[in-house]
């Protein structure tokens, strides 16, 4: 695994050298007034460029052409509190419906990825209109708020009407595993770093950086949900799919990727297993 990291670093350095050489070549080709031998210091090309600049012309441009003014980047218009129709949800709408979707009963009966009271919020998305509202200009805006309850491994989706502020329906599902949230990625890394099976990951990190790996903050994390494949993994992972399990793809911050694909973190059981190779 450590040899893979070293080869990767070598490719990065080699690629950087090629990019620098290519940039130098492009500069040599495109700079105005440097195309021929006559444009050397004091040559006629330099004199023509200076004369045109004195006349307010763009170097190499046609007679009478004014210098181009620098561009200006306009600021994005301020976001309103509420969207219209099928507009994406505004930040205010996201915060509002996330609060409306939670009630005391759900908070008391569920747990998040860290084992604290209340479900783990996964996302807030604009809901699809009802079948009879597809072409209606005044169709209400709704949002789907998804939570994962680690107490009983269920996915809870609550649909909130943004006009009335009411929860119109609640859907509870088992065995459905949407993408992991940022909080779940961080918790998966915490569980992994506390487990002896992370020794190789830590060694590769030290080889790449010279520092000890002690915190998820030292890694850029991406992930994917892992579902069990009968006969293709140790029995410890048979529950993945019913349980919420993650494979992490860690990367040194501003550095190389580290291969940890063989490690699976069962967030529901808070255990790590190693895939058969």
């Amino acid at each position: 695994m450590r040899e893979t990291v070293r080869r990767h670093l070598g490719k990065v350095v080699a690629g950087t050298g090629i990019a620098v050489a290519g940039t130098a070549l492009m500069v040599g080709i495109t700079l105005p007034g440097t195309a021929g031998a006559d444009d050397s210091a004091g040559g006629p090309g330099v004199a023509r460029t200076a004369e045109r600049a004195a006349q307010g012309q763009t170097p190499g441009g046609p007679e009478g052409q004014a210098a181009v003014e620098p561009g200006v980047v306009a600021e994005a218009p301020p976001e309103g509190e509420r969207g219209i129709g099928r507009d994406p949800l505004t930040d205010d709408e996201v915060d509002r419906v996330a609060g409306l979707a939670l009630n005391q009963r759900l908070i008391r009966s569920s747990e998040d990825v860290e084992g604290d009271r209340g479900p783990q919020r996964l996302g807030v998305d604009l809901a699809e209109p009802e079948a009879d509202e597809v072409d209606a200009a005044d169709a209400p805006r709704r949002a789907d708020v998804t939570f994962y309850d680690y107490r009983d491994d269920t996915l809870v989706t609550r649909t909130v009407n943004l006009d009335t502020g009411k929860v119109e329906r609640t859907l509870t599902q088992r065995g459905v595993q949407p993408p992991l949230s940022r909080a779940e990625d961080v918790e998966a890394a915490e569980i992994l770093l506390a487990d002896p099976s992370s020794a190789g990951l830590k060694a590769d990190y030290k080889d790449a950086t010279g520092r000890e790996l002690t915190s998820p903050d030292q890694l850029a994390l991406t992930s994917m949900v892992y579902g069990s494949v009968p006969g293709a993994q140790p029995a410890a992972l048979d529950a993945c799919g019913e349980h919420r399990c993650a494979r992490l793809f860690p990367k040194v911050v501003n550095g190389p990727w580290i291969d940890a694909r063989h490690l699976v973190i069962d967030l529901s059981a808070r255990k790590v297993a190693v895939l058969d190779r």
Side-chain angles (χ1 to χ4, degrees):
M1 186 185 296
R2 291 193 286 275
E3 290 300 319
T4 300
V5 173
R6 294 193 186 98
R7 289 198 296 273
H8 177 84
L9 291 170
K11 291 177 182 176
V12 171
V13 173
T16 303
I18 293 169
V20 170
T23 302
L25 179 59
M26 290 175 64
V27 171
I29 292 172
T30 59
L31 284 176
T34 59
D38 288 342
D39 296 338
S40 57
V46 174
R48 285 194 299 272
T49 300
E51 181 181 355
R52 284 173 175 160
Q55 295 172 356
Q57 299 175 17
T58 302
E63 296 287 339
Q65 178 177 332
V68 178
E69 293 293 330
V72 177
V73 178
E75 293 186 6
E79 183 182 67
E81 292 184 4
R82 300 183 62 180
I84 300 172
R86 301 299 297 163
D87 287 349
L89 295 169
T90 67
D91 291 342
D92 285 338
E93 287 177 321
V94 169
D95 292 340
R96 178 169 170 254
V97 298
L100 291 170
L102 277 175
N103 57 28
Q104 287 303 311
R105 180 180 177 183
L106 180 59
I107 292 172
R108 288 193 302 267
S109 65
S110 59
E111 291 181 0
D112 66 11
V113 68
E114 296 180 8
D116 295 331
R117 191 172 69 168
Q120 182 66 47
R121 195 177 98 186
L122 302 184
V124 181
D125 301 290
L126 188 68
E128 293 296 324
E130 303 291 342
D132 58 352
E133 298 172 348
V134 172
D135 297 322
D138 59 348
R141 282 166 63 81
R142 299 181 181 88
D144 288 332
V145 187
T146 53
F147 302 98
Y148 196 84
D149 181 1
Y150 276 89
R151 177 171 291 182
D152 60 3
D153 282 299
T154 55
L155 180 70
V156 180
T157 304
R158 309 202 83 194
T159 302
V160 180
N161 186 311
L162 287 160
D163 295 332
T164 65
K166 294 182 178 179
V167 176
E168 294 187 340
R169 57 180 172 268
T170 299
L171 176 64
T172 302
Q173 299 168 283
R174 293 182 182 275
V176 178
Q177 299 291 348
L180 294 137
S181 66
R182 167 65 183 167
E184 290 172 308
D185 286 350
V186 172
E187 188 64 18
E190 289 274 14
I191 295 170
L192 177 58
L193 293 179
D195 192 271
S197 61
S198 65
L201 170 64
K202 293 176 179 177
D204 288 342
Y205 184 90
K206 189 168 186 179
D207 282 349
T209 67
R211 302 187 302 274
E212 300 291 337
L213 175 59
T214 59
S215 168
D217 294 338
Q218 296 169 261
L219 298 169
L221 297 169
T222 56
S223 66
M224 65 180 294
V225 170
Y226 178 83
S228 64
V229 181
Q233 76 282 313
L237 297 177
D238 284 347
C240 289
E242 290 296 328
H243 283 187
R244 194 146 171 81
C245 299
R247 292 175 79 181
L248 293 178
F249 303 91
K251 181 178 182 295
V252 176
V253 175
N254 299 320
W257 294 91
I258 300 177
D259 188 0
R261 291 172 295 176
H262 60 295
L263 302 172
V264 177
I265 304 96
D266 185 333
L267 286 163
S268 300
R270 302 187 69 80
K271 295 180 180 179
V272 180
V274 181
L275 288 174
D276 296 334
R277 298 200 191 189

